[in-house]
Amino acid sequence: MTVKKLSPEELLGINKFVVDEEEPHIVLDKSICAGCKEKPCLVVCPAVLYTLKDGEVNFDYAGCLECGTCRIVCKNKGIIKWTYPRGTMGVSFRYG
Ligand code: SF4
């Protein structure tokens, strides 16, 4: 039997998400992010949800893997809210 190896992108694409459109579980204060020189969130998020556009940090909580890494590395407290999504919302991991 041959087992096909999946790339990280393919594995991430198998996960299912129920996005809570009414209540984001992660909220940034972009005025704080603007003053952050390191912006570690841009490199640590395994889902690449933090991006930089015209010098501003952009973020979309849809697709969040709920790992908590951004919360840990955000030393300037630009993340003003980090909780798990409400019940039945968020990621359901599928392992292919
Ligand atoms: S909790 Fe993890 S996956 Fe979600 S935004 Fe933060 S670093 Fe990315």
Side-chain angles (χ1 to χ4, degrees):
M1 183 171 112
T2 307
V3 177
K4 182 183 181 235
K5 281 198 164 192
L6 299 177
S7 69
E9 291 78 13
E10 289 172 316
L11 285 168
L12 286 171
I14 294 170
N15 294 329
K16 301 286 183 200
F17 296 91
V18 179
V19 179
D20 189 343
E21 304 285 356
E22 296 173 2
E23 194 172 313
H25 68 286
I26 301 173
V27 177
L28 309 184
D29 180 337
K30 290 190 177 186
S31 66
I32 297 173
C33 299
C36 174
K37 288 188 177 133
E38 295 83 11
K39 296 182 178 32
C41 54
L42 297 175
V43 294
V44 299
C45 177
V48 197
L49 299 179
Y50 293 86
T51 57
L52 197 62
K53 187 172 182 192
D54 299 326
E56 182 179 283
V57 174
N58 288 300
F59 174 69
D60 184 358
Y61 63 95
C64 176
L65 301 172
E66 302 167 27
C67 66
T69 308
C70 56
R71 181 185 189 189
I72 299 297
V73 300
C74 183
K75 301 289 186 218
N76 292 319
K77 307 290 184 215
I79 297 173
I80 56 173
K81 176 186 175 189
W82 197 107
T83 61
Y84 288 107
R86 295 189 292 176
T88 73
M89 307 285 188
V91 65
S92 295
F93 291 103
R94 307 283 171 93
Y95 294 104

